[in-house]
Amino acid sequence: MTTKVSAEEMALQRDFIQKVAEINGKGAPPVAHVHTFGCQQNVSDGEKLKGMLAEMGYGFSETPDGADLVIFNTCAVRENAEDRVFGNLGALKHEKARNPKMIIGVCGCMVQQAHITEKIKRSFPHVDLVFGTNALHTLPQLIYGQLTEHKRKFFIPEGDGVIAEGVPVRRESALKVSVPIMYGCNNFCSYCIVPYVRGRERSRELSDIISEVKDALKNGAKEILLLGQNVNSYGKELNTSFSELLRRINALDGEFKICYMSSHPKDFSDELIDTIAECGKVTRHFHLPVQSGSDRVLKEMNRYYGREDYFKIIDYIREKVPNAAITSDIIVGFPGETYEDFQETLSLVERVKFDSLFTFIYSSRKGTKAASLPDPISAEEKGRWFRELLDVQEKMGENAYSRYVGGTFRVLCEGVGRTDSALLTGKTPQDVIVDFEGDKSLIGQFVNVKIEKALNWALIGKIV
Ligand code: 5AD
Ligand code: SF4
């Protein structure tokens, strides 16, 4: 089965780009506001939405005020992400009353859920266009429909997901470039909505990825962020692997940094760690979401590893990649989690000593397995556990950055300083922010920075 959108279909969409551009060319240039919620994958989709819109003649605005077209590119991973979208959509009602010609579109993960599209149909009549994650590349046709027929449209194609090559991209940054390598997820962690809204795992052809990376490097990119819901399972159906892909990109000419997200511990093999250790361009930051420290909860979460497996991975990383930074995601209050289970998470955090943590309170997602489990612990109790975890991590993270002081690291100058705008800023190979003195003409170049001081969220250094 091929998941690649056919060349004919992509050519059809290019025709629609021309048709919309002709319509838009007749009046003052129209303005679009694209608001992306959620993860890097979504940001990358947002760059494609903007790429198509730019070719259709749209300029862009930072706010919806006065825009001709507003698109919300949504996230479904937790309830508060969805609430934010509904809040923003509600606020647009008045704007649309003032400007009835405004086209309002909603796309992304949220609208892959039937109960959400029903709610939009019923309660948000000012929304004109709703399109699913598999319909992203059909935006030109959908916009053409809006401009010529002015009819409300919901377009959520069924199926396991597609790969659309050749969609125009308008990158947020020329220096730091995101390149999707795979889409979808097959893991079905019991709490997670992603497999339901992003479809089955599918990898882009190695050659398509390499040529996009080469193009980006030719255009001045210095950091390549490889994206997927689960990058470690890249290439399984193509007889290649994430290790192979890293090796191939690492071997390309020029000085640049390779980052990737997201990873799953179950697929984080010794071979991959060996590969990363050998590939000097690959980040020394390992973001390995553990989610829980309790074997019982991990099993209920359908994670396919236990805490000892996780420790083995961490120990092997520390052995093979000196000075690696390790970070993680943790969910507090999974259904049925007891205080004893939660203590196991705390002890894991104390054992691993993460450089930093992203912590979440469990959010029930309709249709997932966990949503049907009994969940007797109150929100207040979960809130207390959550703060306990933050306290433990704060203690562990205290002085975590002092280990960098005295070291010298290769750093890409990314822009003006975050602690002081008279300084420059960049990141160490471990992805720790470092500010340092230097001329603005260095932005976009790599320099050697010696670390002189550690704050609790950044480093201060000096070019040597
Ligand atoms: N509730 C809370 N957190 C979640 N995450 C994913 N699904 C949920 C959920 N239902 C968290 C996980 C994941 C991160 C991106 O979001 O920790 O790693
Ligand atoms: Fe949110 Fe997941 Fe969709 Fe990313 S893939 S936008 S995290 S639901």
Side-chain angles (χ1 to χ4, degrees):
M1 189 198 67
T2 172
T3 51
K4 211 160 164 168
V5 177
S6 70
E8 293 77 34
E9 169 66 26
M10 294 311 291
L12 180 74
Q13 295 305 326
R14 280 197 298 280
D15 289 345
F16 278 110
I17 287 182
Q18 290 313 317
K19 285 183 182 163
V20 175
E22 273 166 35
I23 297 173
N24 283 339
K26 289 188 181 129
V31 172
H33 170 67
V34 178
H35 187 162
T36 292
F37 299 78
C39 66
Q40 287 299 324
Q41 267 86 348
N42 245 25
V43 173
S44 167
D45 283 352
E47 293 184 338
K48 288 181 182 160
L49 291 168
K50 285 188 167 179
M52 291 183 278
L53 291 170
E55 294 203 356
M56 289 186 263
Y58 287 89
F60 296 97
S61 64
E62 290 300 312
T63 68
D65 309 337
D68 301 279
L69 171 69
V70 174
I71 297 183
F72 285 160
N73 180 25
T74 65
C75 171
V77 80
R78 282 174 295 274
E79 195 177 1
N80 55 13
E82 296 190 337
D83 289 345
R84 276 216 309 282
V85 170
F86 282 129
N88 279 278
L89 267 186
L92 274 189
K93 206 166 188 164
H94 305 293
E95 187 64 27
K96 175 112 175 183
R98 272 199 298 274
N99 173 15
K101 281 206 179 131
M102 175 189 261
I103 298 169
I104 301 179
V106 185
C107 65
C109 296
M110 258 173 95
V111 305
Q112 288 298 125
Q113 307 169 90
H115 70 280
I116 298 283
T117 48
E118 276 312 307
K119 182 165 170 175
I120 295 175
K121 265 190 192 138
R122 244 190 0 257
S123 310
F124 297 85
H126 56 297
V127 171
D128 304 285
L129 177 63
V130 173
F131 56 107
T133 51
N134 290 332
L136 191 91
H137 64 283
T138 70
L139 180 72
Q141 188 169 9
L142 294 169
I143 296 289
Y144 182 76
Q146 288 298 312
L147 293 176
T148 52
E149 286 175 33
H150 313 286
K151 269 215 316 261
R152 207 171 189 216
K153 181 156 178 104
F154 285 69
F155 184 50
I156 326 273
E158 300 267 318
D160 287 343
V162 297
I163 296 179
E165 291 293 349
V167 177
V169 187
R170 189 176 186 268
R171 301 199 188 280
E172 302 288 333
S173 155
L175 211 54
K176 305 196 324 174
V177 164
S178 299
V179 178
I181 63 168
M182 60 170 325
Y183 305 94
C185 181
N186 287 351
N187 290 329
F188 288 94
C189 302
S190 62
Y191 51 81
C192 186
I193 194 69
V194 170
Y196 302 90
V197 295
R198 287 271 175 180
R200 295 292 63 73
E201 242 166 58
R202 52 211 186 269
S203 299
R204 290 179 70 194
E205 296 280 349
L206 197 82
S207 54
D208 288 331
I209 298 170
I210 298 286
S211 66
E212 188 174 340
V213 171
K214 278 184 174 166
D215 274 353
L217 294 174
K218 214 166 61 201
N219 291 323
K222 299 289 178 193
E223 185 176 307
I224 304 291
L225 173 59
L226 304 174
L227 288 178
Q229 297 303 340
N230 180 17
V231 289
N232 328 125
S233 39
Y234 168 76
K236 274 187 184 157
E237 69 280 29
L238 301 174
N239 269 326
T240 176
S241 69
F242 186 54
S243 292
E244 169 76 19
L245 179 68
L246 285 180
R247 283 212 179 84
R248 292 279 299 272
I249 298 178
N250 191 71
L252 295 176
D253 288 339
E255 185 171 22
F256 61 97
K257 184 172 168 184
I258 306 168
C259 304
Y260 56 90
M261 71 189 314
S262 306
S263 306
H264 191 307
K266 91 176 155 62
D267 297 315
F268 218 88
S269 63
D270 288 357
E271 189 218 342
L272 178 56
I273 297 168
D274 291 341
T275 301
I276 292 171
E278 284 159 23
C279 291
K281 291 173 183 165
V282 177
T283 178
R284 269 39 196 149
H285 173 195
F286 293 78
H287 181 65
L288 267 180
V290 67
Q291 313 300 357
S292 168
S294 150
D295 282 335
R296 202 190 62 78
V297 172
L298 285 170
K299 197 151 194 284
E300 290 281 304
M301 286 179 162
N302 205 23
R303 291 289 287 177
Y304 295 100
Y305 57 84
R307 57 189 273 136
E308 285 305 321
D309 302 315
Y310 192 78
F311 291 148
K312 270 199 201 117
I313 299 170
I314 299 299
D315 293 345
Y316 196 63
I317 291 173
R318 295 230 156 100
E319 180 191 326
K320 287 287 170 153
V321 186
N323 235 337
I326 299 177
T327 62
S328 198
D329 294 347
I330 288 182
I331 297 176
V332 172
F334 181 81
E337 180 173 346
T338 63
Y339 191 62
E340 286 67 45
D341 292 319
F342 172 68
Q343 293 297 314
E344 296 273 282
T345 296
L346 293 184
S347 77
L348 179 137
V349 168
E350 282 167 340
R351 153 83 155 80
V352 176
K353 300 190 175 62
F354 293 107
D355 292 75
S356 68
L357 270 187
F358 297 87
T359 46
F360 309 100
I361 292 189
Y362 170 76
S363 169
S364 177
R365 307 284 65 213
K366 207 179 169 93
T368 60
K369 197 160 163 246
S372 60
L373 297 174
D375 190 6
I377 304 293
S378 69
E380 293 74 43
E381 183 71 13
K382 290 184 184 184
R384 276 192 291 276
W385 297 2
F386 186 77
R387 283 186 296 277
E388 206 176 325
L389 172 60
L390 293 187
D391 286 346
V392 168
Q393 174 55 26
E394 203 179 293
K395 251 185 244 118
M396 305 310 302
E398 234 167 60
N399 308 321
Y401 286 174
S402 56
R403 70 184 165 97
Y404 295 109
V405 175
T408 298
F409 300 97
R410 201 80 182 136
V411 174
L412 170 65
C413 302
E414 295 178 15
V416 293
R418 289 176 237 226
T419 57
D420 178 346
S421 60
L423 301 177
L424 295 177
T425 196
K427 291 202 187 105
T428 71
Q430 297 79 12
D431 282 339
V432 178
I433 293 170
V434 54
D435 280 6
F436 47 90
E437 253 174 51
D439 193 83
K440 300 226 175 357
S441 64
L442 289 172
I443 293 173
Q445 294 180 38
F446 282 91
V447 291
N448 291 321
V449 175
K450 183 166 187 200
I451 308 304
E452 297 186 320
K453 191 170 138 193
L455 312 176
N456 56 11
W457 61 276
L459 303 169
I460 307 292
K462 191 173 169 189
I463 296 181
V464 289

